[in-house]
Every structure is written in structure tokens, then in C-alpha cells.
Amino acid sequence: MNISDASERSGVSAKMIRYYESIKLLQPAARRDNGYRDYGDADVSVLQFIRRTRDLGFSLEEVGALLTLWRDRKRPSREVKRLAEAHIADLERRMKEMRAVLRTLRDLAQHCHGDDRSDCPILDDLASPLSTRRAKRRH
Amino acid sequence: MNISDASERSGVSAKMIRYYESIKLLQPAARRDNGYRDYGDADVSVLQFIRRTRDLGFSLEEVGALLTLWRDRKRPSREVKRLAEAHIADLERRMKEMRAVLRTLRDLAQHCHGDDRSDCPILDDLASPLSTRRAKRRH
DNA sequence: CCTTGACCTTCCCATTGTGGGAAGGTGCAA
DNA sequence: TTGCACCTTCCCACAATGGGAAGGTCAAGG
């Protein structure tokens, strides 16, 4: 099948399919006489694997590692799990940061009148965060 | 003061200070005779504002808008609040997505032996997500 | 006075993952 | 034959940041 059919079936854009091939995440696709790339069901499966893995937030580098493990019938599941857990830890770290940011933002927004008046605790904080503000003192 | 002092005091790298100037987020800095950029305390304040705003996850475009509002003594706080709340909504949306992803990943990792054996529910799911898997049927 | 090291300047390149679009070839249907 | 929908490669752009080269400047110490 043509690239656009593979794209439709896998949910990966044609552009990205070509890109993945160019960075060697994918084996070079078979070509028809006219130079068109030609895909089979197995290729679509690989593309779906990539799509799913990307959707779970893995980087393309990690996708590559997972693909290799997937293809290796003798892989130790330990390695897959290790990759997954590293990624989980990364997401958890980022979530934690976002939670802290959200807490701050909600707090600031809550205290802002949000009307025609110009005084605004949000801007006040951006200019001089509460966390760094303290009683005046001489240096 | 020189750029590296401004950098140190604001927590914004010299590289980024020049970049912010180049994209017009910052007014062109004053120059000494030798061509060196010259910063004062007010400039450092602006840089700190940017740093803080970036730390809260606003894009440079949003930082620009907030800077403009900050400078405008007659701004309505409504506009600041609107920006903040849009950003909050964005973060909430992303957190929600991440939570869903994390749920899935934790679930998969939990069921993976993580030993020498090759069978692995993580790879199984990537290849064919549970959510799309159903009883065999003919097409 | 000269050297050395720490600054400064601009300019280009790389990153990550994706999309847009141009220029040119191909295949199929009316 | 014409037209349209494909396909190909190639270059550009994005967001925000860092690395590093090539060359100018300044201050301290010999």
C-alpha cells in the first residue's frame, strides 16, 4: 500500500513516516518501480507501535530502544520494565513541578480582582516573588 | 554593569539575555564605548520578571504580553488574570493527559515481571493496546 | 610594556518532533 | 489529453536553549 494508506491505518502522518525512516527508526521501506514507498501490514503494525509509544510520551530515542526490544524475541522483560519505569519517574518529576507551579498560579489568580483596576498581585509576584520577599533590611 | 553580572543577578544566562533582546522581548541594551552591553538595576528587575515568569511556564510570547501589562500603569488587572487563567487551564489539560498516561504506564509496569523472561505485557500493549483489543472476529 | 586570562561581541549550528510548501514525477479516470 | 490526487526530495519554520568559533577589550601581574 502507499504511504498515505499506511498513514491512515497507523495514525502516523506520511511526513513523520518518512522522517522516522530518515533517522533510521524505521528500516528503509520497500519501493515500487516508480519509486513509491510500499507498505505491508507488518509495517503498519510497526507504525502503530510507534504511534502508541509516542502517545505514552516516550522520546523517539526510547521508541527506538523499545522497538529493538520488541523485535528481539530473547529480550529480558527487565529491560523493557526499566525503560518504562525510568519514563514513569520522569513523568512523575514533571508532574510534581507542574503541581507546584499550578499551586502558585491558582493562588495568585485567586487574589487578583480581575477587573478594571490596575493593581494586580500576579504582576506583583512576578516582579518580586513572595518567596524571595522579606522585611526590608540593610545590606 | 556587564552582561555576566546582570545574568548572575537575574538568573538569566547571558546567552538568553542577548536572545531576548534579538527577538525584541527586551529593549536594546545601552552600550558602552567599547560596544559592551551595559545594564542597570531596572534592567535586572525586568530580567528577574522574565525569569520568574518563565519558571511559571509561560511562553516567551506570554512573557512579552505580561511585560507589556506590567509596564502599563493603566492596565486592567482583568487582562493579567485572563492570561494567568488561560495558562492555568493549559497546565491543567496537560496534567490531565499526563495523569492518564501515568495510570496506563504504572498499570503496565506493574504487570511486567521485569526479569529474564521475555514475555512482557508492556510490549504487548504497545503492539496492540488493550483499549483497542477485542475478541477475534472476521472482517 | 607585554602577556595572560577573563571578559565581551556576532555568527552559525544543534537540539526535538512536527508541519508547511515548492518543484517535479506518476497514475488513473473522464 | 487534461486534470487531479498521489508520490518523491529538499528546504524552511517553530520554541527555547546551549555550544562554540573568531575576533575585540580590559585589567592585573611580571
Side-chain angles (χ1 to χ4, degrees):
Chain A
M1 79 191 79
N2 277 345
I3 198 171
S4 63
D5 297 307
S7 165
E8 215 165 301
R9 293 202 205 176
S10 63
V12 178
S13 74
K15 210 92 196 201
M16 280 304 103
I17 296 176
R18 295 195 196 98
Y19 174 63
Y20 294 160
E21 183 182 322
S22 82
I23 62 169
K24 288 167 191 171
L25 184 62
L26 295 174
Q27 240 87 56
R31 299 287 181 140
R32 312 194 102 107
D33 287 349
N34 56 18
Y36 287 16
R37 287 178 181 78
D38 190 15
Y39 297 92
D41 288 347
D43 301 305
V44 171
S45 292
V46 172
L47 289 170
Q48 284 169 341
F49 181 100
I50 294 177
R51 171 65 201 269
R52 167 72 170 160
T53 311
R54 289 288 299 137
D55 283 350
L56 291 179
F58 288 93
S59 70
L60 287 183
E61 197 178 343
E62 292 164 327
V63 173
L66 288 166
L67 260 180
T68 302
L69 288 168
W70 187 37
R71 290 201 196 96
D72 178 6
R73 231 172 283 179
K74 298 197 301 293
R75 80 230 152 201
S77 58
R78 182 188 301 109
E79 295 203 23
V80 183
K81 189 166 188 174
R82 197 172 42 74
L83 275 172
E85 285 183 336
H87 183 47
I88 288 172
D90 192 47
L91 288 174
E92 281 169 346
R93 191 185 43 71
R94 279 153 55 192
M95 288 255 314
K96 200 171 150 193
E97 281 177 22
M98 286 177 68
R99 257 196 302 273
V101 165
L102 263 178
R103 233 192 334 267
T104 304
L105 285 171
R106 286 206 191 98
D107 187 57
L108 293 176
Q110 202 176 3
H111 292 92
C112 175
H113 299 305
D115 56 17
D116 280 339
R117 282 172 289 176
S118 71
D119 68 295
C120 174
I122 300 173
L123 291 178
D124 289 348
D125 182 273
L126 292 175
S128 169
L130 238 181
S131 54
T132 71
R133 232 180 290 158
R134 51 204 56 155
K136 264 183 208 162
R137 51 177 178 175
R138 332 199 165 275
H139 295 277
Chain B
M1 78 191 78
N2 278 345
I3 198 170
S4 63
D5 298 306
S7 164
E8 214 165 303
R9 292 202 205 176
S10 63
V12 179
S13 75
K15 210 91 196 202
M16 280 303 103
I17 297 177
R18 295 195 196 96
Y19 174 65
Y20 294 160
E21 184 182 323
S22 82
I23 62 168
K24 287 163 193 174
L25 185 61
L26 295 174
Q27 241 87 54
R31 299 286 183 141
R32 312 194 102 107
D33 287 348
N34 56 17
Y36 287 16
R37 287 178 182 76
D38 191 15
Y39 298 91
D41 288 347
D43 301 305
V44 171
S45 293
V46 172
L47 289 171
Q48 284 169 340
F49 181 99
I50 294 176
R51 172 65 201 269
R52 168 73 170 157
T53 310
R54 288 289 300 135
D55 282 352
L56 291 181
F58 288 93
S59 69
L60 287 183
E61 197 180 341
E62 292 165 327
V63 173
L66 287 166
L67 260 180
T68 303
L69 288 168
W70 187 39
R71 291 199 195 97
D72 177 7
R73 231 173 284 178
K74 297 196 303 291
R75 80 232 152 200
S77 59
R78 183 188 301 111
E79 295 203 22
V80 183
K81 190 166 187 174
R82 196 172 43 75
L83 276 173
E85 286 183 335
H87 183 46
I88 288 172
D90 192 46
L91 288 174
E92 282 169 344
R93 190 184 43 71
R94 280 153 54 192
M95 288 257 310
K96 200 171 148 193
E97 281 177 23
M98 286 177 68
R99 257 196 302 274
V101 164
L102 263 178
R103 234 192 333 267
T104 304
L105 286 172
R106 286 204 191 98
D107 187 57
L108 293 176
Q110 202 175 1
H111 292 93
C112 175
H113 299 304
D115 56 17
D116 280 338
R117 281 172 289 175
S118 70
D119 66 298
C120 175
I122 301 173
L123 291 179
D124 289 347
D125 181 273
L126 292 175
S128 168
L130 237 181
S131 53
T132 71
R133 231 180 291 158
R134 49 204 58 158
K136 263 185 206 161
R137 52 179 176 172
R138 330 199 164 274
H139 292 279

